[in-house]
């Protein structure tokens, strides 16, 4: 077999224009296999691992309150978060009863729905891009674990981004069409995502600035419809945040918003369709040095405030140590660190091609860079969940790049697959409630605060002790919220008999022994 034959064989497997019905069938089977594996990773022992977090329990208790009392306000735990999480949990409780699986199943449902939307969109590009995206998902500790935890960011981020990405893809692929539905969906779900958590609005702001950068570089506004779309999204989000800050303490503001925003979005859609058809040429000056200054500043600010934590997300071993209390082996850390460095190198290389070498996806490349620059302005907290959006954008970006270059797929796919296997084997080994030792990991998240792996310890030993000794009063020297909220939720699921005269003290065990807690019977 000569060189041209080898090249033709590779192209027949990876490049869309060479794909036959047989190869598409192979891609479809591979995609279904990886999808089933991913869903299994999301759902296996869902009720037990990670242990129930205080914020999850709060959401479940809030949903129970809505069920029997009603909605009292339209913001969540803070005035920069909405109530989509407890509302979805409320529906789940009505359908499946009150339990931990019902609490967490919404995260599985919405992440799976978002993943299916993205895979359908990638399939229109090529089957290999869908495979690439699934492999990136499977090797990410963040994307593997996030759906298992009932936080508003984890539950809805992938779903909202998938609809926005599919809408933008439809508009960009058929610019001559009106795409009224795509515009409407983009504006609705960008608004819902920002209502769910303020950090989501960073996507629209980053997209707007990115399109302006592309227009300056090209000296013409090519993406006029997309630019108006992002600007309209920012306009809506501005009104949303004003309402959330000043008027979210009562239900009336939510009712007003439910009528006000659909009208605004209808008018914006009509405006975008009417005024975004022709290409605009504009004599922009040469901003080459300004571009370099911005890129250096963006990169430096992200590295200073978020670089270390984001590298943890790329490697994954500290993420799983934090969520599952795993003592990671030296071999695992070395293997995942290599894969993380490989991913980081690939991201930087693709960004370089698009920004400096007129690559295929400059708008998406600039969006990622601008998002990284804006993130320290939104938050200096380095909680891992805050990297979900940028990681999903990067996964989409890399999958698009890999779809056009069979050689890069041959290079990346084995690394992604090996990384995913190492990661998931380590996670599955931790799924044992009788482990003699639990790792204690503290993650600094800025402003003098830390997130502890102890917050994800299984609360089963506490519940067993409470039931056995019929404890009626509990003393919490520290971390009361993260211990008390899960206890209240488990008591809601299956109440147990208790005597007020019987008291105990609960403390986290920093050694990781005794299943993570010191349980002291006081009376």
């Amino acid at each position: 077999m000569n060189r041209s034959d080898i090249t033709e064989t590779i192209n027949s497997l990876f490049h869309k224009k060479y794909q036959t019905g047989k190869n598409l069938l192979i891609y479809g089977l591979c995609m279904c296999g990886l999808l089933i594996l991913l869903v299994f990773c999301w759902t296996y022992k869902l009720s037990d691992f990670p242990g129930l977090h205080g914020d999850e329990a709060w959401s479940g208790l809030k949903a129970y309150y809505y069920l029997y009392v009603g909605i009292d306000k339209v913001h969540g735990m803070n005035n920069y978060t909405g109530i989509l999480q407890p509302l979805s949990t409320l529906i789940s409780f009505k359908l499946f009863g009150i339990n931990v699986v019902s609490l967490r199943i919404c995260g599985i449902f919405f992440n799976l729905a978002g993943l299916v939307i993205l895979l359908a969109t990638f399939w229109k590009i090529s089957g290999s891009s869908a495979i690439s995206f699934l492999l990136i998902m499977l090797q990410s500790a963040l994307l593997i674990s996030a759906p298992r935890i009932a936080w508003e960011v984890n539950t809805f981020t992938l779903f909202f981004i998938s609809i926005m990405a599919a809408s933008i893809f439809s508009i960009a692929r058929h610019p001559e069409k009106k795409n009224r539905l795509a515009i409407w969906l983009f504006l609705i779900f960008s608004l819902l995502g920002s209502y769910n958590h303020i950090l989501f609005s960073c996507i629209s702001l980053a997209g707007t600035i990115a399109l302006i950068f592309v227009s300056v570089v090209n000296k013409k506004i090519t993406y006029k419809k997309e630019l108006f779309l992002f600007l309209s999204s920012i306009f809506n989000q501005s009104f949303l945040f004003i309402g959330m800050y000043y008027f979210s303490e009562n239900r009336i503001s939510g009712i007003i918003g439910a009528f006000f925003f659909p009208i605004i979005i209808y008018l914006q859609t009509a405006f975008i369709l009417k005024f975004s058809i022709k290409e605009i040429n504009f004599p922009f000056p040469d901003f080459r040095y300004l571009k370099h200054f911005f890129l250096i500043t963006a990169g430096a600010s992200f590295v200073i405030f978020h670089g270390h934590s984001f590298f943890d997300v790329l490697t994954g071993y500290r993420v799983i140590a934090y969520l599952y209390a795993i003592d990671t082996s030296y071999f695992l850390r070395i293997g995942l660190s290599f894969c993380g460095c490989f991913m980081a190198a690939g991201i930087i290389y693709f960004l370089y091609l698009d920004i400096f070498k007129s690559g295929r996806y400059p708008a998406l490349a600039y969006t990622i860079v601008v998002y990284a620059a804006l993130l320290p302005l939104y938050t200096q907290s380095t909680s891992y969940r805050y990297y979900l959006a940028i990681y999903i954008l990067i996964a989409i970006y890399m999958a698009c790049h890999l779809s056009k270059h069979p050689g890069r797929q041959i290079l990346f796919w084995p690394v992604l697959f090996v990384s995913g296997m190492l990661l998931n084997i380590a996670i599955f080994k931790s799924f044992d409630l009788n482990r003699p030792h639990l790792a204690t990991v503290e993650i600094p998240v800025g402003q003098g605060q830390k997130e502890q792996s102890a917050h994800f310890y299984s609360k089963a030993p506490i519940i067993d002790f409470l039931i056995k000794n019929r404890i009626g009063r509990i003393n919490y020297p520290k971390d009361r919220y993260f211990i008390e909220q899960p206890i209240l939720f488990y008591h809601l699921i299956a109440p147990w008999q208790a005597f007020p005269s019987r008291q105990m003290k609960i403390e986290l065990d920093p050694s990781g022994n005794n299943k993570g807690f010191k349980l002291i019977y006081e009376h």
Side-chain angles (χ1 to χ4, degrees):
M1 182 178 287
N2 56 36
R3 186 180 182 89
S4 62
D5 293 334
I6 295 174
T7 302
E8 187 69 21
T9 301
I10 293 173
N11 283 335
S12 68
L13 288 173
F14 294 105
H15 204 283
K16 185 173 183 179
K17 71 178 183 178
Y18 291 95
Q19 288 175 6
T20 63
K22 181 179 178 180
N23 288 337
L24 287 175
L25 177 61
I26 294 172
Y27 274 128
L29 292 174
C30 290
M31 188 174 70
C32 290
L34 290 172
L35 184 59
I36 292 170
L37 178 60
L38 185 61
V39 173
F40 175 77
C41 294
W42 282 350
T43 56
Y44 181 65
K45 292 191 175 182
L46 181 62
S47 62
D48 296 323
F49 298 97
L52 189 64
H53 191 275
D55 289 345
E56 292 184 274
W58 178 90
S59 175
L61 293 170
K62 197 68 175 177
Y64 182 81
Y65 179 86
Y66 291 166
L67 185 62
Y68 290 99
V69 179
I71 299 172
D72 54 345
K73 57 186 70 174
V74 294
H75 70 75
M77 193 176 295
N78 307 286
N79 61 6
Y80 54 80
T81 60
I83 60 172
L84 296 183
Q85 181 66 48
L87 282 178
S88 62
T89 303
L90 167 63
I91 297 171
S92 179
F93 284 173
K94 286 186 175 182
L95 293 175
F96 309 113
I98 301 175
N99 52 65
V100 177
V101 172
S102 297
L103 177 64
R104 291 176 165 174
I105 198 67
C106 291
I108 307 299
F109 173 79
F110 283 106
N111 277 276
L112 180 58
L115 180 57
V116 170
I117 292 170
L118 278 177
L119 291 179
T121 304
F122 278 125
W123 191 261
K124 296 176 182 178
I125 300 173
S126 71
S128 62
S129 62
I131 302 295
S132 297
F133 186 78
L134 280 170
L135 287 172
I136 294 171
M137 291 275 292
L138 279 166
Q139 65 82 45
S140 168
L142 187 63
L143 297 179
I144 282 289
S145 302
R148 301 177 66 94
I149 304 170
W151 290 338
E152 69 280 337
V153 174
N154 295 14
T155 298
F156 294 103
T157 298
L158 178 60
F159 179 65
F160 291 150
I161 288 179
S162 68
I163 294 177
M164 292 171 64
S167 300
I168 287 292
F169 176 79
S170 176
I171 293 170
R173 193 181 186 193
H174 304 289
E176 73 284 352
K177 294 184 178 180
K178 290 190 174 183
N179 292 302
R180 187 182 300 275
L181 178 61
I183 294 172
W184 187 83
L185 288 173
F186 181 93
L187 293 175
I188 285 288
F189 284 96
S190 64
L191 184 66
L192 282 175
S194 302
Y195 168 70
N196 186 54
H197 197 286
I198 189 174
L199 189 58
F200 196 87
S201 65
C202 188
I203 297 176
S204 295
L205 186 56
T208 302
I209 298 174
L211 291 178
I212 292 173
F213 261 100
V214 172
S215 299
V216 169
V217 170
N218 295 335
K219 298 186 182 299
K220 59 183 179 181
I221 303 178
T222 305
Y223 302 102
K224 187 180 176 187
K225 184 183 292 186
E226 291 84 350
L227 182 58
F228 283 157
L229 193 60
F230 278 105
L231 287 171
S232 299
S233 178
I234 293 174
F235 176 84
N236 297 341
Q237 290 161 4
S238 300
F239 273 98
L240 171 69
F241 296 141
I242 292 172
M244 290 286 287
Y245 188 80
Y246 291 104
F247 309 109
S248 61
E249 292 295 330
N250 58 76
R251 292 175 293 179
I252 301 299
S253 58
I255 296 172
I256 294 173
F259 282 99
F260 172 75
F261 281 113
I263 296 172
I264 294 297
I265 289 174
Y266 174 81
L267 295 175
Q268 289 171 337
T269 302
F271 174 82
I272 292 170
L273 291 174
K274 185 175 182 180
F275 293 100
S276 58
I277 302 301
K278 296 181 179 179
E279 183 179 286
I280 298 177
N281 294 306
F282 193 84
F284 289 111
D286 189 354
F287 285 113
R288 186 185 314 165
Y289 297 108
L290 179 62
K291 180 177 77 171
H292 292 171
F293 173 77
F294 169 76
L295 293 173
I296 293 171
T297 304
S301 64
F302 183 75
V303 168
I304 290 170
F305 292 104
H306 295 282
H308 184 272
S309 296
F310 188 69
F311 186 72
D312 285 347
V313 170
L314 290 177
T315 56
Y317 65 84
R318 277 181 63 82
V319 177
I320 62 174
Y322 162 61
L323 294 177
Y324 303 101
I326 301 173
D327 287 313
T328 53
S329 67
Y330 180 75
F331 170 76
L332 180 67
R333 292 196 296 269
I334 291 296
L336 293 181
S337 294
F338 170 78
C339 296
C341 291
F342 190 84
M343 278 283 291
I347 294 166
I348 293 170
Y349 176 67
F350 292 151
L351 290 175
Y352 171 78
L353 289 179
D354 284 322
I355 293 174
F356 294 103
K357 298 295 183 180
S358 302
R360 289 178 175 269
Y361 307 103
L364 186 51
Y366 275 111
T367 299
I368 292 170
V369 172
V370 175
Y371 188 103
L374 293 174
L375 188 58
L377 301 179
Y378 271 79
T379 178
Q380 294 178 16
S381 172
T382 55
S383 179
Y384 291 143
R385 73 184 98 171
Y386 294 155
Y387 301 116
L388 260 176
I390 190 171
Y391 198 96
I392 293 169
L393 292 176
I394 288 172
I396 293 171
Y397 176 65
M398 292 191 71
C400 290
H401 256 286
L402 292 175
S403 70
K404 302 298 181 182
H405 298 279
R408 293 174 189 169
Q409 293 170 14
I410 295 172
L411 186 63
F412 271 85
W413 282 10
V415 175
L416 295 174
F417 181 79
V418 170
S419 176
M421 291 302 101
L422 288 174
L423 186 78
N424 286 287
I425 289 171
I427 292 175
F428 290 148
K429 283 184 176 180
S430 73
F431 286 3
D432 181 6
L433 290 173
N434 297 314
R435 274 190 295 158
H437 179 75
L438 301 174
T440 302
V441 180
E442 288 189 340
I443 307 296
V445 295
Q447 299 176 344
Q449 298 180 355
K450 294 181 179 179
E451 292 183 350
Q452 302 181 37
S453 60
H455 297 162
F456 285 103
Y457 286 169
S458 171
K459 309 306 183 294
I462 300 177
I463 303 305
D464 292 342
F465 190 92
L466 291 171
I467 295 173
K468 180 181 178 180
N469 296 281
R470 300 180 180 181
I471 301 297
R473 296 175 61 193
I474 304 174
N475 180 21
Y476 305 93
K478 289 180 64 178
D479 296 289
R480 174 169 183 162
Y481 172 83
F482 296 101
I483 302 174
E484 183 182 42
Q485 294 291 307
I487 291 174
L488 292 174
F489 185 74
Y490 280 115
H491 189 270
L492 183 66
I493 296 173
W496 56 82
Q497 188 179 19
F499 298 109
S501 60
R502 297 186 178 184
Q503 182 172 321
M504 70 173 292
K505 180 170 70 173
I506 303 177
E507 293 181 355
L508 295 175
D509 188 345
S511 69
N513 299 318
N514 304 310
K515 296 185 179 179
F517 299 99
K518 294 178 180 179
L519 307 177
I520 304 168
Y521 183 63
E522 295 186 328
H523 295 307

